[in-house]
Amino acid sequence: MTTMNQPITCVLVANRGEIARRVFHSCRERGISTVAVFSTPDAGAPFVLDADTAVHLPGTAASDTYLRAEVIIAAALRAGADAIHPGYGFLSENAGFARAVEAAGLTWIGPSPAAIDSMGSKIESKLLVAAGGVPVLTELDPATVTESQLPVLIKASAGGGGRGMRIVRAVADLPAELEAASTEAASAFGDGTVFCEPYLETGHHVEVQIMADAHGTVWAVGERECSIQRRHQKVVEEAPSPLVERTPGMREKLFAAAVAAARAVDYVGAGTVEFLADEAGRFYFLEMNTRLQVEHPVTECTTGLDLVALQLEVAAGGKLPERQPSPRAGMVGGAAIEVRLYAEDPAAGWAPQTGTIQRFEVDGLAADFALPARERGLRLDSSVEAGSTVSIHYDPMLAKLIAWAPTRTEAARTLAKALATARIHGVRTNRDLLVHILRHKAFLAGETDTAFLSTHGLETLAAPVAGPAEEKLAALAAALAGAALRRDQARSNGVLGGLPSGWRNLPSMQHTTTFAGPAGEHPIRYALTRRGLKAEGFGGTGVVHLSAEQVSLDVDGLVRTWHLAHYATNAATVIEVDGDGGSVTFTEVERFPDPSLAVAEGSLTAPMPGAVVSVHVQAGDAVTAGQPLLVLEAMKMLHTIGAPVDGVVAELPVTVGQNVDVGMVLAVVNAADSAVK
């Protein structure tokens, strides 16, 4: 950072989503004007409306919009901004972008280009810190990796977020995985450089938040543990680290190593030094992220520091106090836990989901993007609102929900309840996985290493919070609410005139409605009579309250309540049922389905919208179960579509470069036994 003592009056955020909104929040509080840049798919996104001024970057791909340094700088000059905040991802760790910002006479809110160069390359940064005595994992030359060195981890030299990472357990797989990792890294960061290092099956991902000014002061603000990850991307983050809390002397050593790394490059601004640690507290340098981290709110909620505000102050030449301020008494401290809410299906290979957010509500929020104002609470940093569209073009993260409390157990309990009862309609999310993690006895005991998901079973952790019995009750509530909705619609159309509710001159006949949910189909047979509810399989259940939006039932002496919403889609009627036992999404099964909508047996359909980037087989080829057939790119990740069984490729209607929608047939594989016939 070369611009010193230059007041900042207007900030352009060279990013999108929740991080843009987060930076805008701190700017507004300090009287600083804001500018957003947005791609064509983001035209109606909340972050665009949050800014004082917004500039359109025509195009959809990141390479045409958020990775175009020259058009972003031109937008800043055109809008009258005098500073640029890069957020995280995209160009946030691009030294060339930082230099171009400064050359344009703008203030770069981040470390110097030289520091980014030194620490932005995971390869070079390891050499740098190793020279200072910080322990590191040995880098391996992919061309010379042997069986004895397996498994290895391929990593992108630039960027983060799990993109460009691959675990390799066989030397024969290394060339293909290197190519795939390089392609993914180039798409996400504009740099396809990758390298290898030994892969530790279990460990703890512990990181230290750094804040430094241009006058020689460096704070180790606090540590975070981010060990629970999927596809090498964090999903649960917390401060302080349970491992550090129970390991005497570890915090001091971590802080000293992090400060030494920052001083080695004359670091200025916010940064994070990441380490991989074992259960004994031994740690190894992984990388330094020369930017603000996604998980920075847990540090803010335990220290009371506004890290974005400190970035702005330092970028303008301000001086930090020599000693970091103590947390405000009674307001912060204790523990904070953050979860990342993704539009994805963990049980289907983490397949990203797209669509329109119909409803997004979390009860009990104390803050949106803001610092704590009391000793416990909930904070939401969200990129979406009701009506937002989740597209295929960018990361599937919808929001971050953070709980802070005097104890870690209370923070976990608060966060799990808030997630379980939130009303999130329109797209499938990883919400149930997060709830199961937060309530797991191993998590509550602080046993959170990088193998958490595999150790405790993704199938179990990703199961619906509402189990089969709860789902069946929710289906009954959906059937009753549907009847109330049809009654209300009939009345509004004048069909029933002034007849009283439930009037009929013959005994009520039984109604049957079938709903498809996560546990399968639920045929609900019921009748509402003068003597109450009669429902097959629901003995001892009575109606307490019934409307299209809310159903309360007396279930064996316990009054249970569900809130419902109905949405009509092109494919079916969707009913969202939210209750204290979890949320369930149902589709109403058509009594007379259209046979033209059926697909051939053995069809592989697209699990998400995306683009076909490679095809590995041809029609007529014999394949084995799991063999890659083709690869889709969606949300900057590559997704391999494999053969479901041993057999023969009967049809392959897609080609490289083709865009596909959810449900489109990608291939048809005839099973080997059927092919013989």
Side-chain angles (χ1 to χ4, degrees):
M1 186 182 307
T2 57
T3 304
M4 290 286 111
N5 301 314
Q6 180 68 40
I8 295 175
T9 63
C10 182
V11 172
L12 179 143
V13 178
N15 219 295
R16 62 181 300 278
E18 55 84 23
I19 185 57
R21 303 185 79 188
R22 167 68 188 92
V23 175
F24 294 158
H25 174 85
S26 286
C27 288
R28 276 196 305 271
E29 287 194 332
R30 285 150 187 80
I32 297 173
S33 299
T34 56
V35 180
V37 289
F38 64 95
S39 66
T40 300
D42 280 339
F47 79 92
V48 178
L49 302 179
D50 279 359
D52 297 317
T53 305
V55 181
H56 181 211
L57 307 179
T60 57
S63 57
D64 296 326
T65 54
Y66 300 110
L67 289 174
R68 293 278 303 278
E70 71 280 6
V71 297
I72 291 173
I73 292 171
L77 296 173
R78 178 183 173 193
D82 48 33
I84 290 182
H85 191 299
Y88 51 73
F90 295 131
L91 294 170
S92 62
E93 295 179 280
N94 186 304
F97 180 49
R99 289 189 178 94
V101 168
E102 294 182 343
L106 303 170
T107 297
W108 168 250
I109 302 174
S112 69
I116 297 174
D117 273 333
S118 297
M119 288 297 189
S121 166
K122 296 181 180 67
I123 298 172
E124 296 303 320
S125 63
K126 282 189 172 186
L127 297 174
L128 182 66
V129 301
V134 178
V136 301
L137 291 171
T138 305
E139 182 191 343
L140 302 174
D141 181 356
T144 62
V145 169
T146 64
E147 292 289 344
S148 64
Q149 294 172 314
L150 297 174
V152 299
L153 180 65
I154 302 171
K155 298 177 71 174
S157 181
R163 290 173 176 80
M165 279 192 180
R166 295 287 192 282
I167 301 171
V168 180
R169 303 182 186 279
V171 172
D173 296 338
L174 195 56
E177 295 293 359
L178 282 167
E179 182 179 356
S182 180
T183 299
E184 196 168 83
S187 175
F189 315 118
D191 183 347
T193 305
V194 296
F195 67 99
C196 290
E197 66 184 18
Y199 177 64
L200 304 184
E201 297 284 0
T202 61
H204 294 263
H205 188 118
V206 181
E207 59 190 34
V208 178
Q209 175 69 58
I210 289 293
M211 183 62 69
D213 63 21
H215 307 279
T217 298
V218 181
W219 292 347
V221 180
E223 91 279 348
R224 300 182 285 255
E225 183 154 343
C226 316
S227 298
I228 299 181
Q229 303 177 9
R230 59 88 164 119
R231 302 178 76 170
H232 312 292
Q233 193 168 43
K234 306 160 189 173
V235 291
V236 180
E237 300 118 333
E238 58 181 310
S241 158
L243 174 67
V244 174
E245 285 282 275
R246 63 176 178 261
T247 307
M250 184 178 179
R251 179 170 289 121
E252 291 75 14
K253 294 177 183 177
L254 274 172
F255 284 9
V259 170
R263 290 195 183 281
V265 291
D266 295 325
Y267 198 85
V268 175
T272 300
V273 186
E274 301 196 351
F275 301 92
L276 186 64
D278 63 20
E279 192 60 39
R282 295 182 292 262
F283 57 85
Y284 305 90
F285 174 85
L286 286 176
E287 61 183 307
M288 182 173 186
N289 289 305
T290 53
R291 53 172 168 81
L292 199 65
Q293 290 280 84
V294 177
E295 56 271 23
H296 76 273
V298 295
T299 298
E300 294 186 326
C301 290
T302 51
T303 64
L305 297 173
D306 184 330
L307 295 179
V308 173
L310 288 172
Q311 282 186 296
L312 297 170
E313 183 178 341
V314 166
K319 187 175 183 179
L320 297 174
E322 288 188 15
R323 292 184 177 274
Q324 180 182 329
S326 299
R328 292 170 291 168
M331 303 293 279
V332 289
I337 305 173
E338 170 183 296
V339 292
R340 302 189 191 189
L341 187 70
Y342 285 104
E344 66 184 11
D345 186 353
W350 309 101
Q353 308 292 299
T354 60
T356 300
I357 303 292
Q358 303 288 359
R359 182 176 294 181
F360 194 85
E361 299 171 358
V362 181
D363 291 334
L365 291 178
D368 286 299
F369 304 100
L371 295 179
R374 53 179 190 255
E375 68 176 359
R376 55 174 55 82
L378 280 168
R379 165 176 162 177
L380 179 68
D381 286 19
S382 175
S383 64
V384 299
E385 297 173 344
S388 296
T389 298
V390 182
S391 75
I392 67 170
H393 302 291
Y394 310 111
D395 188 277
M397 190 172 74
L398 303 178
K400 305 178 306 196
L401 188 61
I402 308 99
W404 71 93
T407 68
R408 182 175 181 271
T409 299
E410 182 182 340
R413 183 173 63 239
T414 300
L415 189 52
K417 186 178 190 315
L419 277 171
T421 57
R423 291 167 294 284
I424 306 168
H425 301 169
V427 297
R428 188 187 300 273
T429 71
N430 65 336
R431 179 244 301 263
D432 288 343
L433 170 72
L434 299 174
V435 173
H436 281 305
I437 291 172
L438 292 167
R439 290 176 174 170
H440 199 283
K441 62 181 181 180
F443 177 84
L444 294 174
E447 299 167 2
T448 56
D449 61 30
T450 54
F452 188 93
L453 296 186
S454 58
T455 299
H456 301 291
L458 179 60
E459 182 177 349
T460 300
L461 292 170
V465 170
E470 183 69 26
E471 186 174 315
K472 186 178 178 181
L473 272 173
L476 174 60
L480 296 173
L485 178 63
R486 290 188 290 272
R487 178 197 63 198
D488 294 345
Q489 291 172 337
R491 282 180 171 169
S492 65
N493 293 334
V495 175
L496 296 181
L499 294 179
S501 172
W503 183 90
R504 61 179 64 242
N505 60 359
L506 293 173
S508 176
M509 298 296 291
Q510 194 175 62
H511 300 278
T512 301
T513 306
T514 302
F515 297 98
E521 292 193 353
H522 302 275
I524 304 297
R525 300 177 179 88
Y526 70 95
L528 291 168
T529 71
R530 292 176 180 177
R531 296 183 179 181
L533 172 67
K534 292 184 177 180
E536 289 187 11
F538 296 94
T541 300
V543 175
V544 177
H545 173 83
L546 175 58
S547 70
E549 294 81 29
Q550 181 177 322
V551 175
S552 295
L553 301 176
D554 185 320
V555 183
D556 296 326
L558 297 177
V559 177
R560 303 282 307 281
T561 297
W562 293 266
H563 299 274
L564 302 99
H566 302 76
Y567 304 101
T569 70
N570 293 333
T573 298
V574 175
I575 304 95
E576 301 277 4
V577 185
D578 300 305
D580 61 348
S583 297
V584 184
T585 300
F586 291 113
T587 55
E588 189 169 347
V589 177
E590 295 286 344
R591 297 182 65 184
F592 306 103
D594 185 348
S596 67
L597 299 178
V599 298
E601 184 178 355
S603 294
L604 290 169
T605 58
M608 70 208 79
V612 179
V613 296
S614 63
V615 176
H616 301 294
V617 295
Q618 300 178 26
D621 286 355
V623 295
T624 57
Q627 178 179 336
L629 304 182
L630 54 91
V631 177
L632 294 180
E633 181 179 20
M635 296 181 175
K636 297 304 169 190
M637 298 290 281
L638 299 180
H639 307 271
T640 300
I641 307 299
V645 293
D646 294 350
V648 175
V649 179
E651 298 179 32
L652 194 67
V654 297
T655 58
V656 173
Q658 181 177 344
N659 291 319
V660 299
D661 293 322
V662 174
M664 181 180 292
V665 175
L666 304 175
V668 178
V669 177
N670 290 336
D673 54 354
S674 63
V676 171
K677 300 175 184 177

